[in-house]
Amino acid sequence: MVSPDSPPLAAEAERSAGSERHSRLLTALAGVVAVLILGGAALVWAGLPGAGPDDGSRGGPVTSPSGGPGPSTGSPSAPAEPTRAEAVEALLLARADAVEAGDRSAFLDTVDPLHVEFLQAQSTLFERLQEVPVAEWSYQLVGEGPPLSDERAAQLPEESAIVRVRLTYQLDGTATVTDREQYLTVVPRGGRWLLAGDTDGSESGLDTQRDVWDLGPVRAVRGERSLVVGDTRGADRREMQRLADEADMAVEDVDEVWQAEWARAALVVLPRTQKDMAALIGSDGKGLAQIAAVTTGSFEEGLSRGNRIVINPAAFDTLGSLGRRVVLSHEMTHVATRATSVQPVPIWLSEGFADYVAYAATPVPTTIVASDVLDDVRDGNGPRELPDETDFDAGEGDVAAAYEGAWLACRMIAETYGEKRLVRFYEAMADSAGPGWPEETADVLGVGARKLTRDWRRYLADKAAE
């Protein structure tokens, strides 16, 4: 995802750059359940100044207007030195090649040896990456980063700078192509450009996005339809294998309802702590206590990419087997539906449908799952409108009623019009064939959005009276 504090790389995406879709904790038989999806943002990448066409300073011998050799100046012009952009691009290519080849020496050769602490950190990073099944790894030079602080600039060679870089990778056994934004400090050293740090952008509020292997030692465990990458300090191999098996089951749960094509090869990330989870998703941590898992991703040119499930161990570890299944099936539904989404669906439908799939696989009494919203209805404080982004903001308060109301809206549609019509409704809202919500509601369900909302309020009242 792209943090709300990121630089102007974020284009209008599913809702807004860095928008977050939060979920609530449910008391559901085996324990507390929380689910969430983070809306991503498409990254717009521009070339680095200085990497453009030849400015006339390079080339062969000067020629006369007649085409013959011009006046001799002694010896032919020497080839021009590569620009900084060209040198850094070559540096990044060598770095990516070293990761894919597992070549530690070549990887560390891209780092300034005079920055001993950073060199050691990069050595540790490389060793951690050897535990991850890297299928593809590449860097793209995006442009200039923020200026170095005066103090930092005084410590580095003249012309040192921060550059903005896009890391793109895919792990073997998954369909997830992930983009991460990095701010790397480059320095001239011995006729080359080398890396000297990745935190200098923080002075300007521009942090390098982190992955789980940046935070601690990792292990990768495969399921039949999933890959779990986790911090070994928080979970052992057996726990990660259990999570992979549960993720496989979640894929099967989704396929019971969602018939559209999707990859069925999910990436699940298991950090050590809730604080580490916040770092991975670019969150300030507010409201994360209500969240057991997150689905992050981005929309780029109308296509969803980088969708992965990130676990919050602080909440997830409190769940029993039923609660874990509900969480993972909910999140896996987001992964599946976003694979074919090209325009945003209303958040009540996104979260309500994910809960519909999860609870269809693990039946739980309505009075338990929807206790908050039904209590509100009984007290005369029931919702008047289908829940929106504000209602799902876990950082602003309890979001249980929003999730429960959204789930009951989708269940009402399935009971009234059939489950296949509910799926068709979701697809119509998400595809590019029409305007989506609310205009297409009548085309699919035969009723407009206003009547659908009234029917939903009546449905809530009936359930509250049971």
Side-chain angles (χ1 to χ4, degrees):
M1 72 166 280
V2 177
S3 166
D5 296 327
S6 293
L9 290 178
E12 180 84 7
E14 186 174 10
R15 284 185 173 80
S16 63
S19 68
E20 298 189 359
R21 300 174 183 174
H22 294 274
S23 66
R24 79 318 189 199
L25 286 165
L26 290 176
T27 302
L29 298 183
V32 181
V33 178
V35 286
L36 168 151
I37 181 169
L38 283 176
L43 300 185
V44 180
W45 306 95
L48 179 67
D54 195 323
D55 60 7
S57 62
R58 10 182 148 157
V62 178
T63 60
S64 68
S66 63
S72 174
T73 57
S75 62
S77 300
E81 289 292 324
T83 65
R84 188 186 74 198
E86 292 169 334
V88 171
E89 285 172 345
L91 169 73
L92 295 174
L93 178 60
R95 184 175 173 86
D97 288 345
V99 172
E100 292 186 345
D103 189 335
R104 180 177 182 275
S105 177
F107 184 80
L108 296 182
D109 191 49
T110 65
V111 182
D112 182 6
L114 297 187
H115 282 76
V116 178
E117 186 175 342
F118 182 63
L119 180 66
Q120 181 57 51
Q122 291 295 289
S123 177
T124 299
L125 171 61
F126 183 83
E127 295 304 320
R128 290 172 180 170
L129 286 175
Q130 301 316 292
E131 303 299 323
V132 180
V134 173
E136 296 181 11
W137 192 279
S138 66
Y139 298 94
Q140 179 184 1
L141 185 59
V142 177
E144 297 281 358
L148 290 161
S149 68
D150 291 342
E151 180 181 359
R152 182 65 163 149
Q155 298 170 352
L156 299 176
E158 190 176 349
E159 298 185 5
S160 297
I162 302 172
V163 294
R164 200 166 63 203
V165 172
R166 179 192 207 185
L167 164 64
T168 299
Y169 66 84
Q170 182 174 2
L171 304 185
D172 187 41
T174 79
T176 301
V177 178
T178 301
D179 300 319
R180 307 301 273 167
E181 183 178 304
Q182 300 188 336
Y183 291 89
L184 306 180
T185 302
V186 293
V187 299
R189 188 78 71 188
R192 304 172 58 202
W193 284 88
L194 299 172
L195 301 180
D198 63 0
T199 61
D200 289 314
S202 299
E203 290 279 340
S204 302
L206 302 174
D207 295 321
T208 290
Q209 291 182 313
R210 301 300 177 183
D211 283 290
V212 66
W213 43 79
D214 292 305
L215 306 178
V218 293
R219 175 185 294 114
V221 176
R222 295 181 185 272
E224 292 183 5
R225 299 180 180 87
S226 63
L227 178 72
V228 174
V229 178
D231 191 316
T232 59
R233 298 170 299 173
D236 59 24
R237 181 178 293 277
R238 183 176 62 180
E239 291 173 298
M240 290 186 194
Q241 188 62 62
R242 178 190 177 189
L243 182 56
D245 293 341
E246 290 169 329
D248 290 346
M249 185 179 297
V251 172
E252 296 176 6
D253 290 344
V254 172
D255 279 345
E256 288 295 317
V257 179
W258 185 251
Q259 302 300 315
E261 188 57 41
W262 63 294
R264 299 173 180 83
L267 173 61
V268 181
V269 179
L270 179 61
R272 182 171 65 102
T273 65
Q274 181 173 295
K275 181 180 179 181
D276 285 352
M277 181 220 193
L280 293 178
I281 65 175
S283 168
D284 61 6
K286 192 177 181 181
L288 285 187
Q290 297 189 72
I291 297 166
V294 179
T295 299
T296 67
S298 65
F299 278 82
E300 189 168 304
E301 298 179 354
L303 299 175
S304 180
R305 60 186 276 147
N307 294 300
R308 58 183 183 169
I309 298 170
V310 182
I311 302 295
N312 179 4
F316 195 78
D317 288 349
T318 68
L319 305 179
S321 58
L322 176 61
R324 291 164 68 103
R325 185 172 180 181
V326 168
V327 167
L328 290 171
S329 295
H330 177 112
E331 299 303 330
M332 200 66 71
T333 303
H334 287 313
V335 174
T337 56
R338 286 163 65 87
T340 53
S341 295
V342 296
Q343 67 175 333
V345 302
I347 193 169
W348 70 263
L349 179 58
S350 172
E351 300 300 343
F353 184 74
D355 266 358
Y356 175 84
V357 172
Y359 288 119
T362 55
V364 180
T366 304
T367 53
I368 292 178
V369 176
S371 59
D372 292 86
V373 71
L374 295 182
D375 283 347
D376 288 345
V377 172
R378 295 185 190 103
D379 293 341
N381 298 318
R384 303 298 298 170
E385 301 293 338
L386 290 161
D388 59 17
E389 296 279 359
T390 303
D391 299 312
F392 285 97
D393 188 348
E396 297 301 319
D398 189 359
V399 294
Y403 277 84
E404 295 164 9
W407 169 57
L408 289 177
C410 288
R411 206 176 88 170
M412 178 200 73
I413 293 172
E415 291 179 0
T416 305
Y417 305 100
E419 184 176 276
K420 290 184 178 179
R421 189 77 66 87
L422 170 62
V423 172
R424 232 170 75 207
F425 179 61
Y426 194 109
E427 291 173 331
M429 297 303 106
D431 67 23
S432 59
W437 171 264
E439 290 84 355
E440 284 189 88
T441 304
D443 293 341
V444 181
L445 301 181
V447 297
R450 293 181 63 181
K451 185 176 188 309
L452 180 67
T453 303
R454 290 196 300 270
D455 291 345
W456 167 69
R457 290 202 302 265
R458 191 176 305 113
Y459 184 82
L460 292 179
D462 291 344
K463 293 300 176 184
E466 290 179 356

